[in-house]
Amino acid sequence: MQKLLFIFNESPYGTEKTFNGLRFAVNLLEENGKEVEIKAFFFSDSVLAGLAGQNPNDGYNVQQTLEVLTGLGAEAKLCTSCTKARGITHLPLVQGVSVGTLDDVSAWTLWADKVINF
Protein backbone atom coordinates (compact mmCIF):
# COMPACT_ATOMS: atom_id res chain seq x y z
CA MET A 1 0.00 0.00 0.00
CA GLN A 2 1.32 3.44 -1.02
CA LYS A 3 1.04 5.98 1.82
CA LEU A 4 0.76 9.61 0.71
CA LEU A 5 0.74 12.79 2.76
CA PHE A 6 -0.62 15.91 1.10
CA ILE A 7 0.43 19.19 2.70
CA PHE A 8 -1.51 22.32 1.78
CA ASN A 9 -0.48 25.94 2.35
CA GLU A 10 -2.48 28.07 -0.11
CA SER A 11 -5.80 29.81 0.43
CA PRO A 12 -8.61 27.62 -0.92
CA TYR A 13 -9.95 30.32 -3.24
CA GLY A 14 -6.99 32.64 -3.88
CA THR A 15 -5.52 30.21 -6.40
CA GLU A 16 -6.57 26.77 -7.56
CA LYS A 17 -3.65 25.01 -5.85
CA THR A 18 -5.66 23.67 -2.90
CA PHE A 19 -8.53 22.58 -5.13
CA ASN A 20 -6.18 20.89 -7.59
CA GLY A 21 -4.37 19.07 -4.80
CA LEU A 22 -7.67 17.85 -3.38
CA ARG A 23 -8.87 16.74 -6.84
CA PHE A 24 -5.62 14.86 -7.32
CA ALA A 25 -5.97 13.11 -3.96
CA VAL A 26 -9.62 12.22 -4.69
CA ASN A 27 -8.65 10.79 -8.08
CA LEU A 28 -5.92 8.68 -6.54
CA LEU A 29 -8.38 7.18 -4.06
CA GLU A 30 -11.15 6.68 -6.62
CA GLU A 31 -8.85 4.96 -9.11
CA ASN A 32 -6.52 3.13 -6.70
CA GLY A 33 -8.38 2.99 -3.38
CA LYS A 34 -7.08 -0.42 -2.38
CA GLU A 35 -3.50 0.53 -3.21
CA VAL A 36 -3.24 3.97 -1.64
CA GLU A 37 -3.81 5.59 1.76
CA ILE A 38 -3.97 9.38 2.00
CA LYS A 39 -3.66 11.92 4.79
CA ALA A 40 -3.98 15.69 4.29
CA PHE A 41 -2.63 18.43 6.55
CA PHE A 42 -3.51 22.11 6.11
CA PHE A 43 -1.21 24.97 7.16
CA SER A 44 -1.44 28.74 6.81
CA ASP A 45 -4.42 30.09 4.83
CA SER A 46 -5.27 26.61 3.55
CA VAL A 47 -6.96 25.93 6.92
CA LEU A 48 -9.88 27.94 5.54
CA ALA A 49 -10.59 24.95 3.28
CA GLY A 50 -11.79 23.07 6.36
CA LEU A 51 -14.57 25.50 7.25
CA ALA A 52 -18.13 24.25 6.82
CA GLY A 53 -20.73 26.35 5.01
CA GLN A 54 -18.72 27.35 1.95
CA ASN A 55 -20.93 28.62 -0.86
CA PRO A 56 -18.85 29.93 -3.76
CA ASN A 57 -20.84 31.68 -6.48
CA ASP A 58 -19.19 30.04 -9.47
CA GLY A 59 -16.65 27.38 -10.27
CA TYR A 60 -15.15 24.88 -7.92
CA ASN A 61 -16.21 24.09 -4.35
CA VAL A 62 -13.35 23.15 -2.03
CA GLN A 63 -15.69 22.04 0.76
CA GLN A 64 -17.42 19.49 -1.47
CA THR A 65 -14.12 18.15 -2.74
CA LEU A 66 -12.75 17.84 0.80
CA GLU A 67 -15.94 16.04 1.88
CA VAL A 68 -15.49 13.56 -0.98
CA LEU A 69 -11.87 13.02 0.05
CA THR A 70 -12.68 12.29 3.69
CA GLY A 71 -15.68 10.23 2.59
CA LEU A 72 -13.28 8.01 0.65
CA GLY A 73 -11.34 7.39 3.86
CA ALA A 74 -8.64 10.06 3.85
CA GLU A 75 -7.75 11.70 7.14
CA ALA A 76 -7.63 15.52 7.15
CA LYS A 77 -6.40 17.91 9.84
CA LEU A 78 -6.00 21.66 10.16
CA CYS A 79 -3.01 23.21 11.94
CA THR A 80 -4.10 24.35 15.41
CA SER A 81 -1.78 27.39 15.47
CA CYS A 82 -3.00 28.43 12.03
CA THR A 83 -6.67 28.18 13.00
CA LYS A 84 -6.02 30.16 16.19
CA ALA A 85 -4.18 32.88 14.25
CA ARG A 86 -7.18 33.24 11.93
CA GLY A 87 -9.80 33.13 14.69
CA ILE A 88 -11.51 30.04 13.32
CA THR A 89 -10.67 27.38 15.92
CA HIS A 90 -14.23 27.12 17.21
CA LEU A 91 -16.07 27.44 13.90
CA PRO A 92 -17.86 24.41 12.38
CA LEU A 93 -15.62 22.24 10.21
CA VAL A 94 -16.24 20.17 7.12
CA GLN A 95 -17.39 16.66 8.02
CA GLY A 96 -14.38 14.41 8.52
CA VAL A 97 -11.96 17.27 9.22
CA SER A 98 -10.40 17.93 12.63
CA VAL A 99 -7.82 20.23 14.15
CA GLY A 100 -4.33 18.77 14.50
CA THR A 101 -0.87 19.63 15.76
CA LEU A 102 2.71 19.66 14.59
CA ASP A 103 3.06 16.31 16.36
CA ASP A 104 0.37 14.93 14.04
CA VAL A 105 1.97 16.17 10.84
CA SER A 106 5.41 15.05 12.06
CA ALA A 107 4.11 11.53 12.70
CA TRP A 108 2.32 11.53 9.35
CA THR A 109 5.52 12.61 7.58
CA LEU A 110 7.40 9.64 9.04
CA TRP A 111 4.47 7.37 8.13
CA ALA A 112 4.31 8.53 4.51
CA ASP A 113 6.13 7.00 1.56
CA LYS A 114 5.73 10.32 -0.26
CA VAL A 115 4.93 13.89 0.81
CA ILE A 116 3.18 16.04 -1.77
CA ASN A 117 3.01 19.83 -1.26
CA PHE A 118 0.38 22.19 -2.65
Side-chain angles (χ1 to χ4, degrees):
M1 171 139 335
Q2 183 80 41
K3 297 178 279 187
L4 304 173
L5 170 59
F6 281 73
I7 294 181
F8 296 91
N9 286 286
E10 298 283 333
S11 174
Y13 294 102
T15 70
E16 291 186 13
K17 278 183 160 182
T18 298
F19 176 66
N20 286 333
L22 290 170
R23 288 189 321 132
F24 178 36
V26 165
N27 183 262
L28 285 167
L29 283 174
E30 286 178 339
E31 298 299 319
N32 307 287
K34 295 180 183 191
E35 301 167 20
V36 67
E37 188 175 349
I38 291 178
K39 297 183 187 296
F41 199 88
F42 298 79
F43 283 109
S44 191
D45 284 343
S46 73
V47 296
L48 300 173
L51 291 178
Q54 296 175 35
N55 189 19
N57 291 330
D58 295 313
Y60 59 94
N61 188 311
V62 170
Q63 177 180 338
Q64 287 177 346
T65 310
L66 186 52
E67 288 171 340
V68 170
L69 183 66
T70 59
L72 290 169
E75 214 173 332
K77 293 189 179 192
L78 312 178
C79 167
T80 300
S81 300
C82 303
T83 60
K84 285 181 182 177
R86 287 155 184 82
I88 65 168
T89 303
H90 301 292
L91 294 179
L93 300 178
V94 171
Q95 186 173 353
V97 175
S98 62
V99 177
T101 65
L102 282 177
D103 288 342
D104 293 322
V105 74
S106 294
W108 286 2
T109 300
L110 295 175
W111 162 89
D113 297 314
K114 293 180 184 170
V115 178
I116 302 166
N117 289 287
F118 279 91

